[in-house]
């Protein structure tokens, strides 16, 4: 059994909205890496956000 770390990532968009994503990632991934990956996904989906404003917060672990 593998554990995954659950993250909440807040991406403030240039349109004034905040997009909140809840994702799971490998436990060794850092806050910066998780935030950057979600910023990339957000921009690929058509968003326009500043990567320096993205905040990722670890919520805990769950079994995968």
């Amino acid at each position: 059994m593998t554990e995954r770390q659950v993250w909440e990532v807040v991406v403030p968009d240039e349109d004034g909205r905040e997009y909140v994503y809840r994702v799971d990632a490998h436990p060794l991934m850092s806050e910066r890496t998780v935030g950057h990956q979600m910023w990339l996904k957000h921009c690929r989906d058509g968003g326009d956000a500043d990567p320096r404003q993205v905040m990722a917060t670890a919520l805990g672990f769950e079994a995968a």
Side-chain angles (χ1 to χ4, degrees):
M1 184 180 330
T2 322
E3 281 193 332
R4 306 293 284 175
Q5 190 162 13
V6 179
W7 293 83
E8 183 175 87
V9 183
V10 179
V11 181
D13 201 81
E14 296 296 324
D15 64 5
R17 292 189 231 167
E18 283 190 345
Y19 295 83
V20 179
Y21 299 95
R22 186 164 277 189
V23 298
D24 67 317
H26 189 278
L28 297 178
M29 289 184 74
S30 70
E31 172 186 347
R32 183 174 177 162
T33 302
V34 172
H36 184 73
Q37 291 295 316
M38 289 312 299
W39 169 77
L40 286 171
K41 181 201 179 317
H42 180 77
C43 290
R44 267 190 251 125
D45 291 345
D48 182 21
D50 182 351
R52 297 169 293 180
Q53 302 297 318
V54 175
M55 295 186 333
T57 305
L59 299 178
F61 291 92
E62 68 179 24

